[in-house]
DNA sequence: CGATGTCAAGGAATC
DNA sequence: GATTCCTTGACATCG
């Protein structure tokens, strides 16, 4: 093959999936019983142990745990749940040791209710507490610096400059351990890559590049997708493999007229498709200039990962 | 047993 | 100011 025909490398190390396993029935991701039934982290740990072995069995080395594995651990009026991480210290250490044996890169991604930059002090304080607990879980699992807690910038409140200021102030209130675990992800309508890079410059926070969010909210980096991705990856320290989020849009979603943003009959592009489009993924991946891990956010979860892996192999073999 | 409602939590947009 | 949507997985309840 002539040199000029040699394809640009695709520097992907691991592909990962989030939370739910679809490839095998019965693998739960967390103890989701109601508080009246006394759900507990130790039950979630048993579930996770099974999921980790499943991942190993299909040669998956990256997995996002449910952010609800320690139920009600930060609930303001249910202190009986607040000691779960300490109560499970030994179990978490054992589970974490297994993850290291399997070479499984782990992460946590708290829900939309975690808003560090909320102008409501109670919300901001509660969000910080939640991030601290998520950090404590990964610390108790004795995971290295590649195991991260992912958070969004939060709300815009009609004044993004002030909202970013509040985020950076809240950041200073977090523990050193939490600050080194957390990575900030660009979202689909408020904080673009430009904003997360600004947060990085002001706080040192790592950033997560979300490909679909960037397409919906490119900010001033419109048309510079590869630049945005590589700049985001560059916020990770040397020796720590960065990661990014990738998904394909769901184009057959029901029509949406809300907010005046989408025309009647137009698909809501922010929704995730069941699977990943391999050609789009391949073209994007070849613009990356640094080895990365990719968290896939597809509705078909692990099944989407397995299909993408196979599709990429087919593309590489030019059997398509 | 299958279908459907509900869950601790916020924010944004609409009325 | 109140209401609805966004979005997730699995429990809880209902028929």
């Amino acid at each position: 093959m002539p040199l000029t025909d040699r394809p640009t490398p695709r520097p992907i190390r691991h592909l990962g999936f989030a939370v739910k396993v679809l490839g095998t029935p019965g693998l739960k991701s967390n103890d989701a019983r109601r508080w009246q039934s006394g759900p507990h982290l130790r039950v979630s740990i048993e579930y996770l142990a099974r999921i980790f072995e499943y991942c190993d069995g299909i040669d998956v080395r990256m997995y996002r745990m449910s952010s609800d594995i320690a139920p009600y651990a930060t609930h303001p009026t249910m202190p009986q749940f607040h000691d779960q991480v300490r109560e499970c210290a030994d179990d978490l250490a054992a589970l974490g040791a297994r993850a290291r044996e399997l070479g499984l890169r782990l992460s946590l991604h708290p829900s939309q209710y975690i808003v560090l930059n909320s102008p409501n002090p109670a919300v901001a304080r509660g969000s910080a507490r939640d991030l601290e607990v998520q950090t404590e879980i990964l610390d108790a699992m004795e995971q290295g610096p590649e195991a991260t807690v992912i958070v969004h910038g939060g709300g815009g409140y009609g004044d993004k400059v002030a909202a970013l200021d509040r985020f950076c102030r809240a950041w200073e209130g977090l523990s050193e351990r939490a600050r080194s675990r957390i990575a900030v992800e660009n979202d689909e309508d408020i904080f673009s890559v430009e904003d997360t890079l600004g947060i990085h410059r002001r706080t040192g926070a790592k950033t997560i590049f979300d490909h679909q969010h960037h397409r919906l909210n490119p900010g001033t980096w419109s048309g510079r997708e590869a630049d945005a991705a590589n700049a985001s990856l560059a916020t990770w320290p040397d020796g720590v493999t960065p990661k990014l989020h990738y998904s394909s849009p769901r184009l057959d979603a029901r029509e949406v007229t809300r907010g005046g943003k989408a025309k009647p009959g137009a698909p809501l592009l922010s929704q995730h498709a069941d699977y990943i489009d391999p050609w789009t993924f391949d073209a994007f991946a070849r613009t990356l200039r640094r080895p990365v891990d990719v968290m896939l956010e597809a509705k078909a979860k692990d099944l989407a990962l397995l299909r993408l892996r196979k599709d990429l192999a087919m593309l590489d073999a030019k059997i398509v």
Side-chain angles (χ1 to χ4, degrees):
Chain A
M1 187 194 288
L3 251 174
T4 48
D5 285 347
R6 193 166 296 167
T8 317
R10 188 172 57 219
I12 309 288
R13 183 177 65 170
H14 302 317
L15 297 178
F17 71 98
V19 184
K20 192 184 185 183
V21 174
L22 295 185
T24 293
L27 288 182
K28 297 181 186 179
S29 46
N30 64 302
D31 187 355
R33 290 173 297 163
R34 303 288 194 262
W35 64 266
Q36 295 90 336
S37 308
H40 202 279
L41 174 58
R42 84 172 65 81
V43 177
S44 294
I45 290 171
E46 289 169 16
Y47 294 163
L48 284 169
R50 287 183 219 136
I51 291 178
F52 287 7
E53 299 307 316
Y54 169 79
C55 288
D56 181 50
I58 58 173
D59 195 27
V60 164
R61 307 295 160 196
M62 184 185 192
Y63 174 69
R64 178 195 298 166
M65 300 185 283
S66 165
S67 60
D68 297 324
I69 53 176
Y72 305 98
T74 59
H75 193 289
T77 64
M78 296 204 242
Q80 69 270 34
F81 287 102
H82 291 188
D83 286 327
Q84 288 176 83
V85 176
R86 250 169 300 166
E87 288 161 7
C88 293
D90 293 345
D91 294 335
L92 285 169
L95 183 70
R98 186 58 180 151
R100 290 198 306 277
E101 281 172 11
L102 298 175
L104 189 59
R105 181 178 193 173
L106 298 172
S107 61
L108 289 164
H109 190 356
S111 77
Q112 64 199 109
Y113 299 108
I114 304 313
V115 185
L116 209 45
N117 76 341
S118 175
N120 178 340
V123 172
R125 209 167 39 239
S127 298
R129 256 176 56 67
D130 228 285
L131 292 174
E132 295 290 349
V133 169
Q134 305 272 313
T135 298
E136 285 169 17
I137 290 171
L138 292 177
D139 285 353
M141 293 177 75
E142 298 169 0
Q143 298 301 288
E146 291 183 351
T148 53
V149 176
I150 294 145
V151 72
H152 287 286
Y157 311 96
D159 184 349
K160 238 169 73 170
V161 173
L164 283 166
D165 283 345
R166 266 199 317 281
F167 183 95
C168 294
R169 227 173 305 136
W171 178 268
E172 294 308 317
L174 295 170
S175 70
E176 174 57 39
R177 285 170 160 237
R179 291 198 300 257
S180 64
R181 284 280 180 211
I182 295 172
V184 185
E185 176 185 349
N186 57 301
D187 66 64
E188 68 196 50
D189 47 32
I190 308 276
F191 296 109
S192 64
V193 167
E194 177 181 34
D195 298 317
T196 57
L197 291 175
I199 289 173
H200 166 72
R201 279 192 296 273
R202 294 169 65 178
T203 64
K206 301 183 288 288
T207 66
I208 294 277
F209 178 77
D210 185 295
H211 180 268
Q212 187 170 5
H213 291 166
H214 176 66
R215 289 221 160 171
L216 292 163
N217 183 23
T220 59
W221 293 67
S222 185
R224 298 171 59 206
E225 184 173 288
D227 290 342
N230 284 303
S232 192
L233 297 178
T235 63
W236 289 66
D238 290 341
V240 179
T241 302
K243 62 175 180 169
L244 56 85
H245 292 176
Y246 194 93
S247 49
S248 293
R250 183 175 190 90
L251 297 173
D252 62 346
R254 63 177 172 71
E255 65 179 52
V256 169
T257 56
R258 199 178 131 265
K261 280 187 175 179
K263 293 189 171 78
L268 188 65
L269 292 174
S270 57
Q271 291 188 358
H272 294 158
D274 292 345
Y275 291 91
I276 305 292
D277 166 32
W279 276 1
T280 312
F281 179 90
D282 185 54
F284 168 69
R286 292 181 194 283
T287 68
L288 302 177
R289 296 287 164 262
R290 181 173 173 179
V292 295
D293 294 330
V294 177
M295 176 58 67
L296 302 174
E297 295 182 323
K299 289 184 68 175
K301 305 291 184 182
D302 50 321
L303 302 181
L305 188 161
L306 295 174
R307 179 181 291 188
L308 177 64
R309 179 193 279 167
K310 193 170 124 225
D311 287 348
L312 292 174
M314 296 293 268
L315 288 182
D316 291 342
K318 297 185 194 286
I319 306 178
V320 282

